[in-house]
Every structure is written in structure tokens, then in C-alpha cells.
Amino acid sequence: MTFKLLTLRVRQDQGEQFIKDLRAARPAGFRGLPVIDTTPCATGCDACVTACPTAAITAAPLALDLGACVFCGECARVCPAHKIAMTTEVAMASSARAELVVHEGPARRPPIDVAAAIRKAFGRSLKLRQVSAGGCNACELELNALANVNFDAQRHGIEWVASPRHADGLVLTGPLTKNMQDAVQLAWDAMPDPKFLVAVGACAISGGLYRDAPGLARDFLAKVGPLVFVPGCPPHPLTVAQALLDVMGR
Amino acid sequence: MHTVAIADVPELEVRAWRNWVKAELLQGSRPVILYGTRTSETRVALTMVLQRGDGGLDLIRTSVDPTTGYFALSEVAIAMHAFERELHEQFALRLTAHPWLKPLRYEGGTQADMARYPYYKLEGKEVHEVAVGPIHAGVIEPGAFRFMCHGETVHHLEIQLGYQHRGVEALLGRGDPRRHTPLVETIAGDTSVAHAWAHCAALEALAGVALPSEGEIARALMLELERIAMHLAGLTGLAADIGFLQGAATYGRLRTTAINTSMRLCGSRFGRGAIRPGGAGVGLDDGARDAVRDACALLRDHLVAIDALFLEARSVAHRLRGVGRVNRAMATQLGLVGFAARASGVDLDQRRPARGAYAAVPLARTLETTGDCWARARLRITEIAASLGWIEAALAHLAPMPADLAIGALAPATIAIAIAEGWRGEVVHVLETDAAGGLARHKVQDPSLRNWLGLAIAVRDNEISDFPICNKSFDLSYCGHDL
């Protein structure tokens, strides 16, 4: 009896915790997409460039590479002209590496442009195999969160699968360690065509904080170009969800 | 927190050092860390850190020629095995009679080396081996497991790690340590706060800067939120692995509440940016305090029901009780730390004896005795409650953070050791400066390094099908181990 009551109570507590619209949600307080306004920089000022832990910022004209950014917000904090601001925007993935660079001016959503054939093949059901190659478990936890009751990506046909044999896409996290290079290649080779690669997080996209680390071998990424780049450190599950929905054309 | 001038650390000739450490270990002193610092082409300084019962640390150093090395201490205290394997790998240090001198993380190794891991062999007609990994059937980090079985029973499990080795310590050794916190936050991404706190505390100690109490409490708040979130993540996984889906769904949903509270406070669901040298990036206005209070109230309210359901369900008890047992003597012998040690009755928690924030706001003691998967799960449930209690009491002490303190020149020729009790266990950062005050060594230790062997021992004589729940019950970090 007690047990049944408890079950009932838990069900009642579930309430409506799921996010109804994964595209409209805005996480409160999230340090997301940076924007750079058009105020001119003070002559010779390179405060943001030197503050950046991943060399994501280039000066004159100021530009910030989301593919390297770890969203620490140091640049915004040190800028004397308050030229850089971190917004709560989560949509920032792109199918073109170059489009991840934020320039001066109003926030612009990087495009996700994939072939019609991909949308035709995977638009209703997308099975993904995740492989971490030096990922710190932050990206991995956020990707797992995609399948929890809050984000519930399964409602859109997106699912994590155990075997690469069952996967349409390989979702790679981490800066790609030397010690994982064989395993990553094996997983990729085991996936049936058609297939694609998604690079999730600053580490996977550019090496991020580990770009100069001795333990990396990133040849695989150069060989197999990702279809989509999902920036973040780690990316918010909404950033990933929106990128995948764009790939699927949903 | 311990700071000492290198000149004041007792230094013995290597054999005397070895005998001294051996005697201490045999008398029950607890090893915290043993690490090496290259001092010249042919010499490596070894620093042994032991912890007394009152929480104080004792250091003792020696200088050794790696080609002659010394007689392994692991031979008398198995808790030393990982330290000595690391020394062997990092400095080619010769360790005579080490019982388990296997590769630790293939630092500087190749894939071909990894294929030659010297697994133990179990032989016999009905013996079989099961190899799993490095890629596992879930969204998790990689590592290789090899089970030596007789039928369904695991006689021995060997855990081969190193796949996640990025070269963290090499990066930490370069550049300005004041700017390393973003990197430190990714040593083990699920333990961002504990690593950042230990790193910043060590730096602050070297710079002679003391954080005001509101700063300490803000850091502890982030650490306890991290603990709650990761204990909930662990319970989610454990519930999923035993097919208790209501638990998996509910704990998973409640983790969102915990990490979104972190995000409300510092902009990141993982507490990144919350702790920086000399300060904290935690917004603690009235709105933030209300958000923390509301989150605690919701978590308490909803956890009461799901915890009761989890602990009363016969299916849960049946799967977890008596499985993956590590008794207290074994836990002590292996040198387990954190909640895995406390689940086996080892009363070890770096938040006690209370110092700093935990002296200002007391924390309830948590301990289990049975050392099985059930104990580890139950302990995580009680630790969530204890952390919630701490946060609720700390709310009264929370104040907006003062401006960041400047971290000036670092004390020369000094060692600073900072230990933070992360959700998994003690996170250790050791910073050594040279005669000019430059960084000479930044040694990092994640609790996972100490606990992986605990998992291997826990699985012995269990059914292979219970491995996933044993693994989840320890919930160890691969990248934290592999660095």
C-alpha cells in the first residue's frame, strides 16, 4: 500500500518537467553565444586576446571563433569598452567550420546546411553512436541529458545506440587522444553507409584547451570532415538538440 | 591546505626515506600522494605526503637516480601501487619487486604498446576471458576491462586505462598558473568545482592570500551543488542499470534542477567559472539566494518520495545488497578515498575535521558499513540530504562576493598542497615553486586514481552480469585517472 502511494506521489511530482519546445527554450543564466558590438576598440588594446585561454579571439577586426571558445566569459569581463557580451543564446552550431566565427555586429545564427539526401535518409529517425576520445565527461553528461525526461530527444526520433552497426551518425567528443585513435577509426569503419560525423564541444572541433597537448592525434577529423560542429564547453543539450533537428530538417 | 618551504621538508637519503615511509605505512599512516619532480637530468625528487588522524599532513622528500630507484613500497602497502606505477611511467624510475608494475596511462606510449598490456592469465579447461572496451555501450568515457571468469563468476578483473590521456600535467607545467583554471576545470569535467577549488587554494596559499569567509562559503556552495548533481547522476545510472526506470527518470530530472541552480549562480551547469584564483564568479544577489532556497525545497520534497521508493523496492535491494562488496580492512589496505571508502566504513572526509566553510556551517557525518553496491547507493542518498542541509544552513551566511583578490608573486621554493573533498573523493593539487617563484611542478590527483583498483577487487567472486552495477556504484572518472 505504502509502495503504491509512493509510486503515485512520484508520478505526481513528475509534473510537466519536459521542455515543450526544444527550439524556443532559453536557459536562465546560461553563458552562451557571445556577441561583439561595433564600438571601436581602444588603440592597442588586446585585453580580450590575451585573456582568452584558447586563443579563440583575433583582433582588428575583432572576431571570436566559437569552435575554440570555452565560454568562460573572460573576454567580456576584461574588455574596457564592454564590446563583448555573453548572451543566453544556445543556437550556435553550424555545418561550416568558418561560420563558427563571430564577427562584430548583431548576433547571427550560424547556418546548418546539409544535403537533401541526408534529410531524406535521417529526417524521421536518427540513431547516434557517441564516442569520447579524451572528453572530460562534461560533454558526455550533456549528451546523455538529451535523452532524459527534460529534453526527451527521443520524441523527435533521436536515439543513442550501443553498436556502431546501428548508428547513422558518430558523435565525437574530446580532443582526440593518441590512445583512442585506433578505436575511433574502428567505430567509424563499423558504421554502415550512409553515415556522418558530428564534432561536439571545443575539444573535438579545435582541440580547445588541449590544442597544444602532447597526447593528441587529430588526423581522423581531418580525414573525415564533420557534417556539423556543435560549440560549447560543454554545449548545452539544447544546442545539441537544435543542431540535430536542423540536420533532420525538423 | 598545507604550505611549507621546501628547505623545511625533511629530506633523507633514498634508502632511509624508504624505510621511514615503510614504517609510517605499517603503523597505519594514510598515504595521500607520492609524486616526482625532475630536478636534473639524472635526479628526481620524490615527495611523500601522509595524513594524520587530525587531518594534518606530513611531508618527506628524497632525491633518487631513476636508474637505480628503490625497493618498491607497494610491496608492503598496496595503496602505493598507482603512485609507483606513475613514477615508473613518468621517470622510468626503477622499482624493485613492485608486484603490479603495469602501465598506468601510457603517457608517451603508442597504440602498439597498448595492445601489449600484460594481462594476468587464468588458465584451466572451463576458464574463459571476456574483453570489453575501450568503447562501451553507452555515452561514457573509454577504458578496457578484461574479466577472467569461471562460468559466470569473475575471478579477477583487470582494468586497462590510458585511452583518455591528453597530457594535462604537461600543459599545467607551461605558462602562468594563474590562468590555468579553465584547463583545471576539464581535468575531470564532472568534478570541475573541486579541481578548481583545490588549484586556486594552492595558488592563493603560495601568494599569501586568504579568501574572506563569504568567498569560502560561496565555493563550498558550488562544491555541494556539484556533489548533489553528480550523486543524482550516479543514482540515475544505477537505477537505469537495474531496470528501475521510475528512479532513473526521477533522479535524472532532479539532477537538472541541481545543475540549473549552478547555472543560475555562475553561468555553467558544471560550475565552470565559479572559482578563480583570488575570488569567485558566483552571483549571490537576493534573487540567486531565493533560487537556491527554492531548488533545495523542491529537491527535498521530491527526493523524499523517490528515495523511499528506491530504498523500499524489493527489486532494488535484491540487485544491490551483497553485490560488489569491499570490506573495511580491504578499503583501508587499497587506500580507497571518498564515498567509496565511507561506504565501507572508513571515516575519511576532507571536510572533517571541519575547516573554513565547513567550520562556519557544520556538515552531517555520513557513513555506511557494508561496503556493497547497496551501501554506496544508500550513502549517496544520505550525502545528498547532508549537502542539502548544509546549503540550507549556509544560506544565512551567503553574501555577495567581495572583489577578486590579486594573486601577486608566488613564494619561492615552496610546496603548497590543497585537498578538496569532491563528490567522488579527495582531489589533490600540489604546486611547487622554484627559487625564483616560478612554477616548478603542478601535480594533480583525481580520486579515481585511488579507487579503480577498488572496483576490480569488488567484482571478484561476483557474477559478470553484476559488473555494470558495480562499475556504476563506484562511478569513477577515466579522464581524471588518465590526465
Side-chain angles (χ1 to χ4, degrees):
Chain A
M1 183 61 193
T2 345
F3 195 75
K4 275 193 183 144
L5 277 176
L6 277 171
T7 314
L8 198 66
R9 165 76 207 281
V10 169
R11 279 196 194 143
Q12 196 182 18
D13 284 346
Q14 304 295 17
E16 286 189 7
Q17 288 256 337
F18 74 98
I19 299 163
K20 288 199 184 68
D21 183 349
L22 294 176
R23 287 193 184 276
R26 287 288 171 276
F30 181 62
R31 199 162 49 240
L33 182 71
V35 290
I36 310 173
D37 76 19
T38 51
T39 324
C41 293
T43 316
C45 177
D46 64 350
C48 58
V49 176
T50 50
C52 181
T54 55
I57 305 177
T58 46
L62 207 55
L64 190 157
D65 179 9
L66 295 175
C69 182
V70 290
F71 299 80
C72 64
E74 277 300 305
C75 52
R77 210 171 64 85
V78 299
C79 177
H82 305 292
K83 203 174 146 63
I84 306 177
M86 308 300 285
T87 70
T88 56
E89 178 59 58
V90 289
M92 56 179 110
S94 179
S95 51
R97 177 68 183 84
E99 294 287 346
L100 295 181
V101 178
V102 175
H103 300 282
E104 293 183 359
R108 190 184 56 91
R109 187 184 175 147
I112 291 189
D113 192 9
V114 299
I118 296 238
R119 294 199 165 141
K120 186 159 185 292
F122 305 125
R124 288 167 3 127
S125 157
L126 185 58
K127 308 289 180 201
L128 300 167
R129 170 66 237 200
Q130 200 277 328
V131 173
S132 169
C136 72
N137 203 24
C139 282
E140 292 76 7
L141 279 163
E142 290 299 48
L143 291 174
N144 261 320
L146 212 56
N148 72 17
V149 294
N150 304 106
F151 296 99
D152 185 24
Q154 295 92 323
R155 72 182 117 160
H156 293 294
I158 302 168
E159 255 178 300
W160 299 114
V161 294
S163 171
R165 292 273 193 245
H166 303 155
D168 307 316
L170 180 68
V171 178
L172 206 54
T173 55
L176 276 88
T177 56
K178 277 182 197 164
N179 294 348
M180 269 302 282
Q181 60 178 335
D182 287 358
V184 169
Q185 187 67 51
L186 272 171
W188 177 252
D189 290 345
M191 286 169 56
D193 285 323
K195 60 189 171 187
F196 62 86
L197 179 68
V198 181
V200 168
C203 285
I205 299 174
S206 68
L209 290 157
Y210 293 92
R211 67 200 178 285
D212 298 323
L216 307 192
R218 293 175 52 77
D219 323 6
F220 175 79
L221 268 178
K223 203 165 50 181
V224 183
L227 178 75
V228 188
F229 302 87
V230 186
C233 188
H236 195 285
L238 289 170
T239 306
V240 187
Q242 294 188 19
L244 295 177
L245 291 176
D246 283 343
V247 168
M248 299 169 85
R250 289 177 77 102
Chain B
M1 189 63 247
H2 189 88
T3 322
V4 59
I6 292 177
D8 294 338
V9 178
E11 182 163 339
L12 298 178
E13 175 277 322
V14 67
R15 252 172 300 180
W17 172 86
R18 195 248 174 209
N19 289 338
W20 190 89
V21 174
K22 178 183 167 183
E24 284 293 315
L25 292 171
L26 290 176
Q27 280 166 36
S29 272
R30 195 181 75 83
V32 175
I33 191 168
L34 165 64
Y35 70 94
T37 308
R38 187 169 284 289
T39 47
S40 77
E41 283 285 306
T42 55
R43 307 297 288 184
V44 173
L46 303 180
T47 309
M48 179 77 229
V49 182
L50 297 158
Q51 190 167 40
R52 299 187 299 267
D54 67 355
L57 302 178
D58 290 319
L59 275 69
I60 185 154
R61 305 240 299 181
T62 187
S63 173
V64 63
D65 175 352
T67 57
T68 41
Y70 67 91
F71 206 87
L73 285 158
S74 305
E75 196 253 344
V76 285
I78 197 64
M80 301 290 289
H81 84 101
F83 308 138
E84 293 192 325
R85 285 165 67 195
E86 181 183 74
L87 288 173
H88 182 67
E89 202 161 271
Q90 290 185 341
F91 304 100
L93 182 76
R94 191 168 156 207
L95 288 156
T96 312
H98 190 295
W100 186 264
L101 202 54
K102 301 189 178 196
L104 189 70
R105 55 174 80 100
Y106 295 92
E107 213 166 326
T110 65
Q111 293 264 283
D113 295 334
M114 294 196 85
R116 286 193 296 266
Y117 186 88
Y119 287 111
Y120 277 152
K121 281 264 175 236
L122 187 65
E123 287 178 357
K125 210 168 90 184
E126 287 163 35
V127 160
H128 66 112
E129 288 188 355
V130 181
V132 211
I135 298 177
H136 302 289
V139 183
I140 55 166
E141 297 178 65
F145 301 116
R146 184 161 304 191
F147 302 90
M148 283 120 218
C149 308
H150 184 252
E152 289 284 299
T153 308
V154 179
H155 281 272
H156 181 59
L157 160 65
E158 273 203 62
I159 301 169
Q160 180 192 11
L161 298 174
Y163 296 94
Q164 294 283 72
H165 176 65
R166 300 156 288 180
V168 168
E169 288 191 345
L171 290 180
L172 290 174
R174 298 175 199 161
D176 183 352
R178 294 168 192 80
R179 294 164 45 97
H180 282 160
T181 325
L183 179 66
V184 165
E185 286 172 337
T186 64
I187 291 170
D190 50 30
T191 314
S192 295
V193 176
H195 274 285
W197 192 355
H199 167 241
C200 290
L203 260 180
E204 287 154 9
L206 284 174
V209 165
L211 212 61
S213 67
E214 52 268 51
E216 289 278 322
I217 288 182
R219 287 179 175 184
L221 166 67
M222 298 310 296
L223 184 69
E224 296 311 316
L225 281 171
E226 180 173 82
R227 187 180 328 275
I228 293 168
M230 286 313 298
H231 279 344
L232 287 168
L235 291 166
T236 304
L238 207 50
D241 277 352
I242 57 174
F244 188 67
L245 298 184
Q246 201 159 40
T250 307
Y251 286 126
R253 163 175 75 83
L254 294 175
R255 170 176 171 263
T256 309
T257 304
I259 58 179
N260 282 353
T261 309
S262 291
M263 177 167 69
R264 173 74 178 74
L265 293 172
C266 76
S268 156
R269 300 196 337 148
F270 292 80
R272 293 184 178 179
I275 299 182
R276 286 293 177 266
V282 186
L284 284 172
D285 49 37
D286 289 344
R289 274 206 294 274
D290 290 345
V292 175
R293 187 177 292 115
D294 293 350
C296 285
L298 184 143
L299 285 170
R300 268 205 191 280
D301 186 35
H302 290 195
L303 280 168
V304 166
I306 190 64
D307 287 347
L309 199 58
F310 185 87
L311 294 171
E312 284 175 27
R314 279 167 61 199
S315 58
V316 174
H318 190 89
R319 287 302 309 279
L320 300 183
R321 274 187 196 274
V323 173
R325 192 186 292 271
V326 178
N327 66 26
R328 187 170 162 206
M330 181 58 86
T332 310
Q333 201 186 339
L334 295 173
L336 299 192
V337 296
F339 79 81
R342 292 194 288 279
S344 293
V346 179
D347 192 7
L348 172 65
D349 187 331
Q350 300 296 339
R351 296 168 296 172
R352 287 181 299 106
R355 290 177 290 267
Y358 298 101
V361 182
L363 179 85
R365 178 166 170 264
T366 49
L367 206 64
E368 290 284 331
T369 52
T370 50
D372 49 1
C373 291
W374 173 256
R376 286 183 288 275
R378 223 172 80 137
L379 188 70
R380 294 180 88 168
I381 288 172
T382 40
E383 293 202 350
I384 291 169
S387 294
L388 282 172
W390 186 89
I391 293 174
E392 284 157 353
L395 276 169
H397 298 261
L398 283 179
M401 286 288 297
D404 287 3
L405 304 166
I407 302 294
L410 307 182
T414 303
I415 300 179
I417 304 170
I419 308 180
E421 184 72 23
W423 63 272
R424 239 183 226 115
E426 57 190 49
V427 168
V428 185
H429 280 247
V430 187
L431 268 65
E432 259 182 53
T433 52
D434 58 25
L439 189 70
R441 180 81 160 109
H442 183 165
K443 180 77 199 101
V444 180
Q445 185 172 284
D446 189 84
S448 306
L449 181 83
R450 312 294 303 278
N451 283 2
W452 274 109
L453 188 59
L455 170 63
I457 298 300
V459 172
R460 278 190 183 176
D461 298 327
N462 280 248
E463 285 178 23
I464 190 168
S465 50
D466 280 337
F467 171 70
I469 56 177
C470 291
N471 190 19
K472 199 70 220 173
S473 76
F474 276 86
D475 214 347
L476 300 173
S477 171
Y478 300 74
C479 59
H481 174 281
D482 292 348
L483 297 177

